[in-house]
Amino acid sequence: MNLPIKVLIVLLLSGQLFAQKNVDPTLEDVTKAKALRGTYSKDDVAILQSVEDVNFGLNKDKTQVSVNNSIKEVLMNINHRADIRKYEFYDSESKIETFNLKYRNDKIANYAVFDDFYKDKDLFYNDARVKHMSFDFPVQGYTYKYEMEKKYDDVKYFTSLFFNDEFPVIKKTINISIPDWLNVELKEFNFEGNKITKTKKLDPKTKSTIYSFTLENVPAYYKEESSPGRSYLYPHILIIAKSFKNNGKEVTLFNSTADLYKWYKSLVDLMKDDPTVFKSKVDELTSKAKTDEEKIKNIFYWVQDNIRYIAFEDGIAGFKPDESNNVFQKRYGDCKGMANLIKQMLKSAGFDARLTWIGTKHIAYDYTTPSLAVDNHMICTLFFKGKKYFLDGTEKFNSFGQYAERIQNKEVMIEDGDKFIIEKVPTAAFDFNNEIRKTTLSIEGEKLTGKASRIYQGESKAQFLYIFNSFKTDKKEETLDNYLSKSDKNISVNNVKTSDIKNRDQQLTIDYDVAIQNKVTTFDNDMYIDLEFMNEYKNFELKDRKTDYEFDYKTNYESIVTLAIPQGYKVTKMPQDLIVKENNFDISITFQNTGSSIVYKKVFIFKNAVIKASEMEKWNAFIKNLVNNYNQQITLSK
């Protein structure tokens, strides 16, 4: 080894030793880490302390209120070793001024910091960026100090503060300093059941009122699929800047819902739509229609079928709809662009259509709260024959007058010139979404053969059409067979016939022949039959779940299997019925001997599209009984 290389290695090792000086965990740290691991057994890292400070100022030209949001944390490894990543998002309305990690001795930990565009499969283009760094904790009890400072040029984009984090937080403090020239409402959500201490004090030096909120032993965000939105689950504060004073003049921000609408309308007024671009298409869609309703459907369904939904978020474009002519020519758009195209095409055809803002089911707030956090979606409202119809172009296979579960019973804000209209999207009952399967079988040797039919209505139909249209064109027939058989090699499907797949306005039907292997066993004078071959919800145990489980839509599923009893045989044993009735789900599994046949009926009803966390124990007990029921056989004897 030559001398320069030796010198380099010595320098590197000495630098590493210097960097690691006074950073190893103490005995007290290790003891604390072990205790925390006992409490948070599923987490590798805990945040011992997190202090979040919020301060307000004015931008350079004093026309907007700016926000400075800083976080200081102490992170501890509570497992034997941990590798994690810290990240912070920002966009054209914000910037990150500090993003670093320090050892416990306050020396900078020189881990690489990356600054990338945020990539998401649902976002075609957006200005969101993310700063992030990955780092490791070599031993249990090891700690780092994390610092982040972020600035918003306009307070309207700074909407909420949450106590929970990706990791459990042993002590979380939020300090909000409000100057006397600023009128801010701090709206508390989900504080009930949490021991949040609040203090308020005046700082005479800065003429500010400082509000402090502290919560201890805050669990990490629940990492569970199909959960309610976090605004339903976790304690948080909405920041609503209502107005500010500048040189003795009061400037209104979002003091009321009317102010929120006024700002939205100002963005709409910036659009320069050119209906001439799509006038010939509107004429083509309406010229042969026999009724006004048929004209409306032709336009609505054309947008569903021909405009690709691609989310687009780029500064003000995240809130301003794209011009309808652009969406029409590009053949893609986000929810705002699609809503505007539907509106303008309907207006071109002579109908009263208007842009409409809405927060989907994922969001807990309504329009009594003037904040950009209230809504995340845009649709079109049609005023037609004294009724309002809500048209969502992003719901590809919903029929006219049918609404997806995610917007049902949610408030909408409909444009009405300089005013606005607040309404609610109607709610459909569970039996609107019928899915009915009927199978008639007979025994041939050691297999079951017969005919099957399926009926889909409402959202069960829309979901099926979404799945069907995702199949590759040249493999639709093969893939549909696999779908109907659940890709079970023991089930073969033939002679499949469907109703008109392109007709959204009628119920969808599928008829086919079915043969099922390995379900019949004969021994002496007895025949053993396993009549269960679809196994609905068999593996749907929701173990150790903390949050509600939300379905895509309310469900009314019914399966009726009728088995002809072979001549010379009688039923000597059948499984027990299983019936469960709860607030949010009714389920019945029944067997009936008619003398000539056995009728096996299953009904699954999810009345509100949810299984509540409080019902999980009963649900999981039911699943165990269901699996046991599915595993039982029917006995026929000569």
Side-chain angles (χ1 to χ4, degrees):
M1 187 181 295
N2 59 40
L3 187 61
I5 294 176
K6 286 182 178 179
V7 172
L8 180 61
I9 290 173
V10 170
L11 288 172
L12 287 171
L13 288 173
S14 62
Q16 187 178 24
L17 289 170
F18 175 76
Q20 296 297 319
K21 189 178 180 182
N22 298 324
V23 299
D24 290 334
T26 64
L27 184 60
E28 183 182 358
D29 291 333
V30 176
T31 302
K32 179 180 279 190
K34 288 179 178 178
L36 290 173
R37 179 66 175 171
T39 303
Y40 304 104
S41 59
K42 293 186 177 181
D43 296 288
D44 293 332
V45 171
I47 300 172
L48 300 183
Q49 185 174 15
S50 175
V51 179
E52 188 161 3
D53 291 308
V54 177
N55 295 280
F56 301 93
L58 289 172
N59 64 356
K60 289 181 180 178
D61 56 8
K62 296 188 177 182
T63 57
Q64 296 287 357
V65 176
S66 60
V67 184
N68 214 57
N69 178 213
S70 65
I71 298 174
K72 291 184 178 180
E73 295 176 346
V74 178
L75 299 99
M76 172 179 276
N77 172 28
I78 62 176
N79 206 347
H80 296 295
R81 179 183 170 84
D83 296 276
I84 70 166
R85 186 174 66 155
K86 289 293 284 185
Y87 51 87
E88 186 67 33
F89 295 98
Y90 69 103
D91 54 30
S92 59
E93 303 298 337
S94 60
K95 58 184 175 182
I96 296 174
E97 298 185 329
T98 302
F99 185 77
N100 63 44
L101 195 72
K102 295 179 179 178
Y103 296 111
R104 64 183 299 155
N105 61 2
D106 286 328
K107 299 287 184 183
I108 291 289
N110 287 310
Y111 290 99
V113 175
F114 298 92
D115 192 333
D116 300 314
F117 276 110
Y118 174 60
K119 297 178 180 67
D120 187 286
K121 61 183 176 63
D122 294 325
L123 292 174
F124 171 66
Y125 178 81
N126 73 104
D127 69 335
R129 296 188 68 91
V130 57
K131 275 200 174 184
H132 58 99
M133 66 175 120
S134 299
F135 52 96
D136 66 289
F137 296 79
V139 292
Q140 192 173 40
Y142 203 87
T143 58
Y144 287 105
K145 296 177 181 179
Y146 168 72
E147 295 179 350
M148 191 282 301
E149 188 174 2
K150 186 175 179 180
K151 188 166 184 179
Y152 297 79
D153 292 327
D154 188 341
V155 68
K156 71 166 64 78
Y157 299 103
F158 182 73
T159 57
S160 54
L161 293 163
F162 280 77
F163 290 86
N164 299 72
D165 196 275
E166 185 181 0
F167 310 105
V169 185
I170 309 310
K171 185 177 182 181
K172 173 73 177 187
T173 301
I174 297 173
N175 301 312
I176 305 171
S177 181
I178 303 176
D180 60 359
W181 49 265
L182 179 62
N183 177 17
V184 171
E185 179 186 359
L186 304 179
K187 200 165 184 177
E188 301 169 2
F189 286 85
N190 305 325
F191 272 37
E192 304 81 8
N194 293 286
K195 295 180 180 178
I196 299 173
T197 60
K198 297 184 286 184
T199 62
K200 173 184 174 183
K201 67 178 182 180
L202 185 66
D203 184 349
K205 194 177 285 187
T206 61
K207 295 182 180 180
S208 298
T209 303
I210 302 171
Y211 296 86
S212 293
F213 302 81
T214 301
L215 179 59
E216 296 185 355
N217 302 316
V218 190
Y221 288 129
Y222 300 122
K223 300 173 182 69
E224 297 176 338
E225 293 183 352
S226 301
S227 292
R230 67 176 189 165
S231 56
Y232 290 95
L233 297 173
Y234 307 110
H236 62 282
I237 304 163
L238 273 193
I239 311 295
I240 305 171
K242 293 176 171 286
S243 63
F244 70 95
K245 292 177 182 175
N246 182 30
N247 295 326
K249 182 182 178 182
E250 186 160 357
V251 180
T252 300
L253 297 171
F254 285 167
N255 190 47
S256 66
T257 307
D259 298 319
L260 177 65
Y261 174 73
K262 184 179 178 181
W263 186 71
Y264 282 158
K265 185 178 182 299
S266 71
L267 302 181
V268 171
D269 290 343
L270 294 174
M271 295 190 299
K272 298 186 186 323
D273 288 291
D274 182 5
T276 61
V277 171
F278 46 77
K279 187 178 186 310
S280 61
K281 174 56 70 173
V282 172
D283 292 342
E284 175 193 326
L285 293 169
T286 58
S287 60
K288 295 181 181 180
K290 296 176 182 178
T291 65
D292 283 347
E293 185 171 317
E294 189 178 344
K295 292 177 183 179
I296 293 163
K297 287 179 179 180
N298 288 349
I299 291 170
F300 180 38
Y301 296 162
W302 185 88
V303 173
Q304 285 185 334
D305 291 341
N306 294 278
I307 304 300
R308 184 183 173 200
Y309 169 71
I310 303 178
F312 184 96
E313 296 178 3
D314 181 21
I316 209 70
F319 299 92
K320 173 185 169 292
D322 194 4
E323 278 77 5
S324 53
N325 42 289
N326 291 338
V327 177
F328 178 82
Q329 289 175 317
K330 293 183 297 187
R331 292 295 199 265
Y332 68 77
D334 66 1
C335 63
K336 299 177 295 297
M338 294 177 80
N340 188 40
L341 178 58
I342 294 171
K343 168 192 168 178
Q344 299 297 343
M345 290 181 78
L346 286 171
K347 282 183 67 178
S348 181
F351 297 102
D352 182 0
R354 310 182 192 183
L355 292 178
T356 301
W357 294 261
I358 183 172
T360 62
K361 188 178 177 180
H362 193 71
I363 293 177
Y365 323 120
D366 59 30
Y367 281 106
T368 59
T369 301
S371 167
L372 296 184
V374 171
D375 46 44
N376 62 342
H377 191 40
M378 182 176 276
I379 59 177
C380 172
T381 299
L382 171 72
F383 288 66
F384 180 61
K385 292 185 177 179
K387 287 182 65 177
K388 298 182 186 71
Y389 294 87
F390 303 100
L391 310 181
D392 186 348
T394 68
E395 293 292 339
K396 289 298 182 184
F397 301 101
N398 279 8
S399 58
F400 177 62
Q402 174 187 321
Y403 310 121
E405 177 70 28
R406 68 184 184 129
I407 66 171
Q408 287 181 27
N409 202 38
K410 292 294 294 183
E411 276 192 352
V412 293
M413 183 165 65
I414 307 167
E415 64 175 341
D416 189 29
D418 291 332
K419 298 180 181 179
F420 59 93
I421 300 168
I422 300 294
E423 288 274 358
K424 268 193 175 182
V425 177
T427 300
F430 63 86
D431 54 5
F432 182 74
N433 303 319
N434 288 337
E435 181 178 347
I436 301 171
R437 301 184 183 183
K438 293 182 179 180
T439 311
T440 304
L441 299 171
S442 58
I443 299 171
E444 289 186 10
E446 293 191 348
K447 68 179 179 179
L448 304 173
T449 63
K451 293 187 177 294
S453 68
R454 299 189 184 192
I455 297 172
Y456 297 89
Q457 295 174 323
E459 289 204 68
S460 73
K461 177 184 66 178
Q463 186 181 74
F464 174 85
L465 290 174
Y466 181 84
I467 294 169
F468 180 80
N469 282 277
S470 69
F471 300 162
K472 291 183 178 178
T473 303
D474 60 341
K475 293 193 173 181
K476 277 195 186 307
E477 187 175 326
E478 176 188 344
T479 313
L480 179 57
D481 289 352
N482 289 334
Y483 174 83
L484 295 172
S485 67
K486 296 185 72 172
S487 298
D488 187 335
K489 64 182 181 180
N490 290 308
I491 302 175
S492 60
V493 169
N494 292 290
N495 301 321
V496 178
K497 296 177 182 177
T498 69
S499 59
D500 184 0
I501 293 288
K502 295 181 180 179
N503 190 334
R504 293 169 175 78
D505 296 323
Q506 67 179 25
Q507 69 178 19
L508 173 67
T509 62
I510 307 175
D511 297 293
Y512 53 98
D513 297 335
V514 63
I516 308 161
Q517 304 281 354
N518 298 323
K519 292 295 181 181
V520 182
T521 305
T522 303
F523 186 74
D524 291 336
N525 292 325
D526 295 323
M527 188 181 293
Y528 302 95
I529 302 159
D530 180 2
L531 208 49
E532 180 52 58
F533 54 91
M534 295 307 289
N535 294 303
E536 297 93 340
Y537 300 97
K538 182 177 181 178
N539 299 312
F540 202 62
E541 186 177 6
L542 300 171
K543 201 171 182 181
D544 300 325
R545 193 176 175 94
K546 304 296 183 184
T547 63
D548 299 348
Y549 184 95
E550 293 190 339
F551 294 93
D552 292 338
Y553 53 86
K554 304 179 190 74
T555 302
N556 187 38
Y557 172 90
E558 185 176 303
S559 168
I560 303 171
V561 178
T562 303
L563 174 68
I565 298 173
Q567 194 169 6
Y569 281 85
K570 64 178 181 179
V571 179
T572 53
K573 185 182 178 183
M574 280 200 304
Q576 293 290 314
D577 293 348
L578 176 60
I579 298 174
V580 175
K581 289 185 179 294
E582 296 295 338
N583 289 335
N584 288 293
F585 55 89
D586 288 349
I587 298 163
S588 68
I589 314 292
T590 59
F591 297 82
Q592 181 186 6
N593 178 5
T594 68
S596 60
S597 61
I598 297 167
V599 180
Y600 175 32
K601 185 175 181 179
K602 292 174 284 186
V603 178
F604 292 85
I605 296 173
F606 296 97
K607 294 172 272 191
N608 302 302
V610 66
I611 300 173
K612 291 287 187 181
S614 58
E615 297 173 313
M616 290 300 166
E617 191 174 333
K618 291 179 179 177
W619 172 260
N620 290 329
F622 158 72
I623 289 296
K624 288 179 181 177
N625 291 331
L626 179 70
V627 172
N628 181 58
N629 190 287
Y630 281 172
N631 289 335
Q632 293 184 50
Q633 292 181 316
I634 294 168
T635 305
L636 304 180
S637 301
K638 282 186 178 179

